[in-house]
């Protein structure tokens, strides 16, 4: 059974904890939704809202993606086949070298 | 004219400095104008033998390219006092080919959006609508585009991660070339995303873009991304129109791929695209071919997969993120997003990128040699070359451009097609009128009057 999606409050805790574990303190940003007048940096609540949307959107979509198995292959092998394409940081270069 | 002695580098530089003096208060295209340095370089060039195709040619350099002894800010609070110890490789190569740096240009803060101050106040306007700050001048290489379109520089440099060369070129009637990843060294350029940042020129036409890229391109010991690649072809020759007798023909027989929906509708853009296709179709040796969108195109080029670039944004900036989040100004959110994307998802995204490339090569470039683009991002994801160029105007007089994409290292093919198109059209010759003097005075008011982007705006427009 799929886990229950996190609430806003749970995500806020996760976001704050993840960033704190990297040494990033969100309390550097001004409280609320008003931007810092001196630098233009957004308010903390606005940033939390944007980051929650990012986790629910991009992070979840990427995590859920499974590469398709080649056409004609046995669907039972899809998971194993999807492990085969190599991750490539510079696809243009790697592809040119394969030509 | 310089080579033949009919124009001195100093006269040319003085002419551009005079225009900067008159119109820069309106355009606000520059971060820093290097008048004294440019004059000194021009005098030295006048005394020197011809050093290359850019001998004595004044250029505008985007402010994320390091310039030795000259402040390089990327329009950010983080680098407001940064004075690099040496030139970016691309700048050094332009200078070695004779170019003269007129100044550093305004850009989106840390290359994230259209040019604003780091706190979001709009600075640079579109040279075609100088009294309407709301008209998008294109970003993030905004200042370079405005300086070239407004004739404050002959050509200039930009960087592209998500459309930052082609978008401002299209917005301001210029020819902008984003080369293949690795064609131009990124050494000495403040990074945004290290697998997707592409340095390239914004120029008036294909030939100028070819001259600029020829100077900028090539292997660099300081950047492994440039090493072991195919040689740089003769780009200037590629950008020179070819005639059989008096009849224009394509330099190489070329199939132009047309994606579904590219020219559909009756909008000004659609009509310009239809006219563009009709014009290139009449060039000897060019053939239009319909090509399908590769499988899962919308998913693999969409927002989520495009966001795989964001950890590349946060990782090199960790010391800055720990020290002062407010230093990122209106651009901070993208850096925090990158810090939240785990390695697991990052690797999945890299696998998907290779899948996307294979589909583009197999399903698109098996059928055509160049392909129209409806947006720059797919080929930015893949590091493939793109060229933006003018194809018309709206009824309000705002330029309309389009983008062609090419196979790996096919900058020469892209240039050849655009050069042939520009040989039978005159969009690229058109110039915006000078802003009226009264406008110059009004526009010299504080930038606050031009509006302000919020952090949410920056996320929505993020490169």
């Amino acid at each position: 059974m799929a886990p229950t999606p996190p609430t806003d409050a749970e995500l806020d805790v996760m976001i704050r904890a993840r960033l704190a574990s990297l040494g990033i303190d969100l309390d550097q940003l001004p409280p609320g939704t008003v931007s810092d007048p001196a630098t233009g940096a957004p308010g903390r609540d606005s940033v939390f809202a944007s980051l929650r949307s990012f986790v629910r959107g991009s992070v979840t979509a990427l995590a859920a993606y499974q590469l398709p198995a080649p056409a004609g292959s046995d669907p039972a092998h899809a998971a194993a086949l999807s492990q085969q394409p190599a991750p490539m940081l510079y696809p243009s270069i790697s592809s040119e070298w394969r030509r | 004219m310089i080579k033949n002695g009919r124009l001195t580098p100093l006269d040319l530089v003085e002419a551009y400095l005079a225009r900067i003096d008159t119109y820069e208060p309106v355009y606000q295209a520059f971060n820093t104008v290097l008048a004294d340095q440019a004059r000194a370089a021009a005098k030295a060039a006048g005394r020197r033998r011809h050093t290359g195709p850019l001998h004595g040619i004044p250029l505008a350099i985007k402010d994320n390219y390091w310039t030795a002894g000259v402040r390089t800010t990327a329009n950010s609070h983080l680098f407001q006092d940064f004075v690099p110890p040496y030139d970016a490789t691309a700048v050094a190569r332009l200078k070695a080919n004779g170019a003269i740096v007129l100044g550093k240009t305004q850009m989106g803060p840390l290359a994230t959006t259209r040019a604003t101050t780091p706190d979001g106040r709009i600075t640079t306007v579109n040279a075609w609508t100088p009294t309407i700050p709301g008209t998008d001048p294109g970003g993030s290489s905004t200042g370079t585009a405005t300086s070239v379109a407004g004739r404050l520089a002959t050509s200039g440099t930009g960087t592209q991660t998500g459309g930052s060369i082609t978008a401002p070129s299209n917005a301001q009637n210029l020819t902008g070339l984003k080369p293949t990843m690795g064609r131009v060294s990124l050494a000495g350029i403040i990074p945004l995303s290290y697998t997707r940042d592409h340095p390239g020129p914004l120029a008036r036409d294909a030939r100028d873009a070819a001259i600029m890229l020829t100077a900028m391109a090539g292997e660099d010991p300081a950047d492994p991304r440039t090493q072991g690649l195919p040689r740089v072809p003769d780009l200037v020759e590629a950008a020179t129109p070819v005639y059989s007798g008096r009849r224009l023909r394509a330099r190489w027989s070329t199939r132009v791929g047309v994606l579904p929906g590219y020219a559909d509708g009756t909008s000004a853009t659609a009509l310009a695209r239809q006219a563009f296709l009709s014009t290139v179709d009449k060039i000897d040796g060019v053939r239009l071919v319909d090509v399908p969108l590769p499988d899962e195109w919308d998913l693999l080029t969409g927002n989520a997969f495009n966001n795989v670039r964001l950890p590349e944004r946060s990782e090199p900036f960790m010391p800055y993120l720990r020290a002062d989040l407010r230093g990122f100004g209106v651009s901070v959110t993208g850096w925090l997003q990158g810090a939240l994307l785990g390695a697991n998802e990052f690797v999945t995204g890299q696998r998907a990128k290779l899948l996307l490339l294979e589909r583009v090569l197999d399903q698109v470039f098996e059928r055509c040699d160049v392909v129209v683009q409806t947006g720059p991002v797919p080929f930015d994801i893949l590091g493939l070359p793109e060229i933006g160029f003018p194809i018309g105007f709206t009824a309000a007089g705002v330029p309309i451009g389009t983008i062609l994409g090419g196979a790996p290292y096919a900058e020469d093919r892209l240039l050849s097609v655009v050069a042939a198109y520009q040989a039978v059209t005159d969009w690229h010759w058109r110039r915006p009128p000078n802003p009226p003097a009264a406008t110059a005075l009004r526009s010299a008011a504080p930038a606050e009057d031009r509006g302000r982007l919020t952090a949410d705006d920056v996320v929505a427009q993020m490169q």
Side-chain angles (χ1 to χ4, degrees):
Chain A
M1 195 171 73
T4 305
T7 64
D8 281 4
E10 289 169 335
L11 271 184
D12 285 352
V13 171
M14 185 276 279
I15 289 166
R16 186 180 281 281
R18 162 69 181 165
L19 294 177
S21 72
L22 302 178
I24 300 170
D25 181 7
L26 281 177
D27 287 343
Q28 294 178 57
L29 296 172
T33 58
V34 178
S35 299
D36 177 39
T39 63
R44 206 180 305 150
D45 290 352
S46 301
V47 169
F48 268 118
S50 180
L51 296 180
R52 286 195 300 269
S53 174
F54 177 74
V55 172
R56 288 190 170 116
S58 293
V59 175
T60 303
L62 283 163
Y65 185 69
Q66 180 175 303
L67 272 73
S73 56
D74 185 342
H77 298 155
L81 287 168
S82 76
Q83 296 172 342
Q84 298 306 305
M88 291 284 188
L89 286 181
Y90 296 105
S92 57
I93 295 169
S94 62
S95 186
E96 180 65 21
W97 284 351
R98 287 184 297 136
R99 283 172 173 237
Chain B
M1 290 177 71
I2 289 175
K3 194 172 184 179
N4 296 334
R6 289 186 289 158
L7 177 69
T8 70
L10 184 59
D11 285 344
L12 186 60
V13 163
E14 290 290 4
Y16 278 100
L17 289 175
R19 285 192 61 82
I20 290 171
D21 194 45
T22 303
Y23 299 116
E24 171 62 8
V26 180
Y27 293 134
Q28 296 184 24
F30 286 93
N31 260 343
T32 302
V33 176
L34 299 167
D36 292 342
Q37 287 191 25
R39 285 192 182 97
K43 287 175 185 170
R47 293 190 295 267
R48 237 186 3 250
R49 289 176 53 196
H50 200 73
T51 49
L54 292 169
H55 186 90
I57 302 299
L59 303 180
I61 303 295
K62 188 175 180 179
D63 199 35
N64 55 352
Y65 286 65
W66 290 21
T67 39
V70 174
R71 211 165 61 105
T72 298
T73 72
N75 243 4
S76 168
H77 296 300
L78 301 178
F79 299 103
Q80 59 186 341
D81 300 316
F82 177 52
V83 179
Y86 55 84
D87 284 332
T89 298
V91 173
R93 288 185 170 174
L94 289 166
K95 285 183 177 176
N97 277 273
I100 292 170
V101 177
L102 278 176
K104 307 294 291 293
T105 53
Q106 293 278 10
M107 55 183 283
L110 292 166
T112 50
T113 185
R114 69 175 285 186
T116 70
T117 57
D119 63 1
R121 285 174 293 154
I122 289 171
T123 55
T124 315
V125 293
N126 189 319
W128 290 84
T129 58
T131 59
I132 310 172
T135 303
D136 191 353
S140 65
S141 308
T142 317
T144 296
T146 300
S147 68
V148 177
R151 287 158 284 156
L152 308 187
T154 58
S155 291
T157 68
T159 53
Q160 174 154 331
T161 304
S164 286
I165 290 174
T166 52
S169 295
N170 281 176
Q172 302 210 47
N173 210 49
L174 301 175
T175 302
L177 179 52
K178 186 210 86 161
T180 313
M181 165 58 66
R183 265 290 186 235
V184 178
S185 172
L186 280 156
I189 294 176
I190 294 172
L192 185 61
S193 298
Y194 63 83
T195 65
R196 299 194 194 174
D197 292 346
H198 304 78
L202 289 85
R204 297 209 178 283
D205 61 13
R207 194 172 167 86
D208 281 1
I211 293 169
M212 288 283 290
L213 183 59
T214 299
M216 297 169 74
E219 189 164 316
D220 178 10
D223 185 353
R225 291 163 288 200
T226 65
Q227 297 169 18
L229 307 183
R231 69 172 184 80
V232 181
D234 188 334
L235 299 172
V236 177
E237 181 182 70
T240 303
V242 179
Y243 293 87
S244 292
R246 296 172 67 179
R247 187 171 176 82
L248 177 76
R249 65 173 174 82
R251 177 168 292 276
W252 298 289
S253 178
T254 299
R255 299 163 298 170
V256 176
V258 182
L259 295 171
Y262 168 74
D264 287 356
T266 56
S267 67
T269 296
L271 296 176
R273 288 176 172 182
Q274 291 161 19
F276 159 69
L277 292 176
S278 173
T279 300
V280 293
D281 194 31
K282 294 185 179 76
I283 297 171
D284 277 358
V286 172
R287 182 161 58 93
L288 301 182
V289 292
D290 290 327
V291 296
L293 289 168
D295 298 342
E296 294 185 291
W297 178 257
D298 289 343
L299 177 71
L300 295 175
T301 64
N303 200 42
F305 283 81
N306 187 30
N307 280 342
V308 170
R309 75 197 186 284
L310 295 176
E312 301 173 24
R313 189 169 297 192
S314 49
E315 186 271 343
F317 281 82
M318 285 306 296
Y320 300 91
L321 289 165
R322 292 184 180 116
D324 183 9
L325 286 179
R326 290 178 304 167
F328 289 80
V330 287
S331 303
V332 70
T333 310
W335 273 261
L336 294 171
Q337 290 174 338
L340 287 175
L341 188 74
N344 202 75
E345 301 83 60
F346 181 78
V347 173
T348 299
Q350 304 313 314
R351 288 190 203 277
K353 189 155 64 175
L354 185 60
L355 180 69
L356 176 63
L357 176 69
E358 289 175 342
R359 287 178 175 173
V360 168
L361 295 179
D362 293 345
Q363 299 176 20
V364 175
F365 286 120
E366 286 299 313
R367 298 166 186 246
C368 65
D369 303 293
V370 300
V371 61
V372 298
Q373 302 286 293
T374 54
V377 167
F379 275 32
D380 283 329
I381 290 174
L382 295 174
L384 296 178
E386 297 181 306
I387 190 165
F389 54 100
I391 59 169
F393 287 85
T394 68
V398 177
I400 298 172
T402 198
I403 304 172
L404 285 179
Y409 313 105
E411 292 89 359
D412 52 351
R413 178 77 73 145
L414 291 173
L415 285 164
S416 74
V417 174
V418 177
Y421 175 71
Q422 291 182 337
V424 292
T425 56
D426 67 355
W427 305 116
H428 60 294
W429 288 115
R430 302 192 188 189
R431 305 282 184 266
N434 292 330
T439 304
L441 291 174
R442 278 201 306 275
S443 297
E448 197 79 53
D449 294 342
R450 297 185 167 190
R452 188 167 186 167
L453 299 188
T454 66
D456 286 341
D457 295 330
V458 173
V459 169
Q461 301 169 16
M462 204 162 63
Q463 308 293 315

